[in-house]
Amino acid sequence: MGEKVVAGRFDLSDRQLYRTKLRRCLTGLERLLAEKRFDRPKNLMGLEIELNLTGSDGMPKMLNGQVLERIASRDFQTELAMFNLEVNIAPHRLEGRVFDRLAEELRTSLAYADRKAGELDAGIVMIGILPTLDRDDLVSSNLSDVDRYALLNDQIVAARGEDFVLDIDGVERLTCTSKSIAPEAACTSVQLHLQVTPARFADVWNAAQAVAAVQIAVGANSPFLFGRELWRESRPPLFQQSTDTRPPELQAQGVRPRTWFGERWITSAHDLFEENLRFFPALLPICDEEDPLEVLDAGGVPKLAELVLHNGTVYRWNRPVYGIADGVPHLRVENRVLPAGPSISDVIANAAFYYGVVRALAEESRPVWTRLPFEAAAANFDAACKDGIEARLQWPRRGRYGGTTEVDAVTLVRDELLPLAEAGLDAWGIERADRDLFLGVIEERCRRRVNGASWQAATFHRALETGLSRDAALAATTRRYSELMHTGDPVHTWPVGLPDPVPLG
């Protein structure tokens, strides 16, 4: 969402022209695929993390513009609200000690950014949803001062035509309304990119969809919103509801939401881009001067600017990405499932598990998506968001009898998916030390049944037991989380509860 656009008004002809350009872009993509113009395999991965700014009291600080001025690095950029930042790590080859190198780069980058934020009495917290956020923090006046965000907000609000309704029924229930998309800024995530060839794209995307629920189950880190304890991973329902262009009547008609798990396994990247055009009206009908088919006729590589921009306003949990590097087009699967945090060790462990298990599943002779109904994968995703590490999921039975069975998420990970992830990382050429270290973090989370969400909830309830009010307990939990996050130790090792007060005298 960081791409720069110029704010302005759209008229009817803009949308018609944009639709025409989108169709030409899709035709251009079809030609690029047919002519096999895409980059050869490079085993490239990339990583983005969205972050929160807080004060020493654990409350959000609306300072991203000033903090970014001090950081002065292109690796950091704005996100939707003034308490958000995003850090982008340059692409790396999936090989050798890549995860160790990524962890060191993240430690260096985040420590530097935290020091710069400290000059403004702020700090950086890597968490799915900041527990101290209040409804008054998530209003349109706190959106970042970037034209695209204001324009996107205006277009989504206009498309919906009424207030957004947030209704999440979890441990407790939250119901409220919003006049803008600002509540979406509460959702801070990790995005994992994997460059793939067109021939492998469908297998990798299908594999990523199949394991999205498992990623959530072991990695949930967003149990609170507006003072309520909701789902263990509350980002997905919050994201969907706060960007939902559909009033109730369109929901009842079965119109797809813009934040979308999907509805079918695919056979090509083209399937997803075509669905974008078929199901979703343009939110930002901004036309580029390029004619993609003329560029192709001249032997060039088209930017497909309208296709890329439109794709950026359809919020799939596994999103297709078209890009150009060194004059050569490529495709990526962008995995948007995971919340940020808790620690750098946890983020890298989640990444290692994902890249390993997706590679292994994509190369199986009897792929999981041929044995698991898509509806079951979507239901698994919701179950994992609600119950986190305690979730029970549908998964194909082993052996010759077929069908699916319900299995405990941690049992599925420990017995079936961790060995697959190990084999997948071996296939990437990851060194054994990296493989064992980071997959060991996932294994220990499962053994102890602890992730960021369960730690936050347990610490919050301990704080309540000491006599703190709900708001004070959430603030204390956030401060303790921040302290432990900065140690870098994985969350399964964190002591539950608040530290004992130091006696005076």
Side-chain angles (χ1 to χ4, degrees):
M1 289 187 38
E3 188 176 327
K4 293 181 180 177
V5 301
V6 178
R9 293 183 177 275
F10 303 121
D11 58 30
L12 300 180
S13 62
D14 290 326
R15 296 185 183 280
Q16 292 166 331
L17 176 60
Y18 190 79
R19 185 180 292 114
T20 300
K21 286 293 299 285
L22 274 175
R23 288 176 179 149
R24 290 184 72 81
C25 284
L26 189 64
T27 301
L29 179 67
E30 290 167 356
R31 282 182 52 180
L32 285 166
L33 290 166
E35 294 168 13
K36 296 182 167 49
R37 297 277 300 277
F38 284 87
D39 203 0
R40 292 180 175 83
K42 289 185 177 175
N43 295 354
L44 284 179
M45 57 83 68
L47 179 67
E48 305 168 53
I49 307 178
E50 295 163 349
L51 307 163
N52 293 277
L53 291 169
T54 68
S56 58
D57 57 0
M59 307 304 287
K61 300 268 280 196
M62 308 294 168
L63 291 170
N64 66 357
Q66 298 94 306
V67 171
L68 283 169
E69 282 181 14
R70 283 170 164 75
I71 292 173
S73 166
R74 285 185 294 181
D75 292 344
F76 287 84
Q77 60 190 41
T78 55
E79 252 301 327
L80 184 58
M82 292 181 184
F83 63 89
N84 298 143
L85 296 176
E86 181 174 271
V87 60
N88 299 283
I89 300 299
H92 285 62
R93 284 185 184 273
L94 270 166
E95 62 185 14
R97 299 298 303 274
V98 64
F99 294 117
D100 186 61
R101 292 198 305 275
L102 282 169
E104 186 55 38
E105 285 182 35
L106 276 174
R107 277 191 287 270
T108 302
S109 293
L110 294 187
Y112 173 71
D114 195 61
R115 285 198 305 274
K116 290 300 179 182
E119 295 172 7
L120 294 164
D121 297 321
I124 284 173
V125 178
M126 191 166 54
I127 194 168
I129 295 176
L130 195 63
T132 50
L133 284 169
D134 185 80
R135 288 179 61 186
D136 292 340
D137 297 317
L138 293 168
V139 292
S140 56
S141 58
N142 284 336
L143 294 177
S144 293
D145 187 19
V146 175
D147 279 346
R148 185 174 190 220
Y149 301 137
L151 189 54
L152 188 66
N153 178 65
D154 291 347
Q155 293 300 305
I156 291 178
V157 169
R160 183 173 175 84
E162 58 189 72
D163 287 355
F164 298 88
V165 177
L166 306 182
D167 187 349
I168 305 173
D169 193 4
V171 177
E172 300 172 302
R173 186 170 185 178
L174 171 72
T175 55
C176 62
T177 60
S178 172
K179 295 187 177 302
S180 75
I181 66 169
E184 188 245 294
C187 306
T188 44
S189 66
V190 171
Q191 288 130 43
L192 302 172
H193 290 253
L194 179 60
Q195 185 176 325
V196 293
T197 61
R200 283 175 54 83
F201 185 95
D203 289 348
V204 171
W205 188 87
N206 288 339
Q209 286 287 97
V211 298
V214 179
Q215 287 182 275
I216 288 282
V218 296
N221 196 31
S222 314
F224 297 108
L225 178 66
F226 300 160
R228 303 287 173 86
E229 185 178 354
L230 303 174
W231 293 8
R232 283 300 182 249
E233 186 52 45
S234 303
R235 283 169 42 256
L238 173 59
F239 204 121
Q240 177 172 323
Q241 292 174 18
S242 60
T243 58
D244 200 343
T245 55
R246 310 167 304 161
E249 295 81 5
L250 292 185
Q251 294 180 36
Q253 292 174 35
V255 173
R256 282 86 174 167
R258 295 195 84 100
T259 301
W260 198 36
F261 187 80
E263 61 191 21
R264 61 178 176 137
W265 306 115
I266 65 166
T267 59
S268 163
H270 179 271
D271 293 352
L272 300 175
F273 289 105
E274 188 277 331
E275 281 183 350
N276 288 353
L277 271 66
R278 185 154 42 102
F279 293 148
F280 300 103
L283 289 177
L284 300 172
I286 300 166
C287 288
D288 189 80
E289 293 181 358
E290 173 190 85
D291 185 312
L293 302 185
E294 288 181 4
V295 172
L296 277 168
D297 289 341
V301 176
K303 300 193 299 270
L304 305 184
E306 293 83 5
L307 190 86
V308 170
L309 181 59
H310 188 54
N311 185 52
T313 65
V314 180
Y315 305 106
R316 299 176 186 271
W317 296 111
N318 286 292
R319 177 190 273 167
V321 178
Y322 170 87
I324 301 172
D326 301 322
V328 182
H330 66 263
L331 291 171
R332 303 195 303 274
V333 174
E334 181 191 18
N335 178 260
R336 303 158 50 80
V337 167
L338 290 163
S343 69
I344 289 170
S345 296
D346 290 302
V347 168
I348 301 301
N350 289 340
F353 177 70
Y354 168 75
Y355 288 118
V357 79
V358 161
R359 167 108 189 214
L361 288 176
E363 295 180 351
E364 281 192 317
S365 57
R366 289 184 65 218
V368 64
W369 57 91
T370 66
R371 298 176 289 132
L372 181 71
F374 194 92
E375 296 76 16
N380 283 347
F381 187 74
D382 285 345
C385 290
K386 287 175 182 173
D387 299 328
I389 208 154
E390 302 297 334
R392 295 187 62 80
L393 309 174
Q394 294 292 319
W395 199 254
R397 279 193 183 91
R398 291 183 180 184
R400 58 186 175 179
Y401 296 107
T404 63
T405 187
E406 188 177 80
V407 61
D408 194 60
V410 297
T411 302
L412 174 63
V413 172
R414 292 176 72 183
D415 292 354
E416 190 167 342
L417 297 182
L418 273 173
L420 283 173
E422 190 172 295
L425 293 180
D426 288 345
W428 286 121
I430 301 300
E431 284 197 20
R432 185 171 181 173
D434 262 24
R435 182 199 75 189
D436 292 350
L437 173 64
F438 291 110
L439 292 186
V441 170
I442 303 297
E443 185 172 19
E444 279 299 297
R445 269 193 231 153
C446 291
R447 189 177 71 81
R448 303 186 193 197
R449 291 182 177 262
V450 170
N451 59 15
S454 67
W455 182 91
Q456 286 186 58
T459 296
F460 167 70
H461 287 289
R462 288 271 186 92
L464 287 179
E465 289 166 7
T466 69
L468 293 179
S469 68
R470 288 181 69 91
D471 287 348
L474 286 167
T477 298
T478 304
R479 293 193 299 271
R480 181 62 172 157
Y481 177 103
S482 181
E483 291 169 12
L484 294 168
M485 181 203 84
H486 285 290
T487 69
D489 296 331
V491 71
H492 68 263
T493 68
W494 294 5
V496 170
L498 306 178
D500 293 329
V502 178
L504 298 174

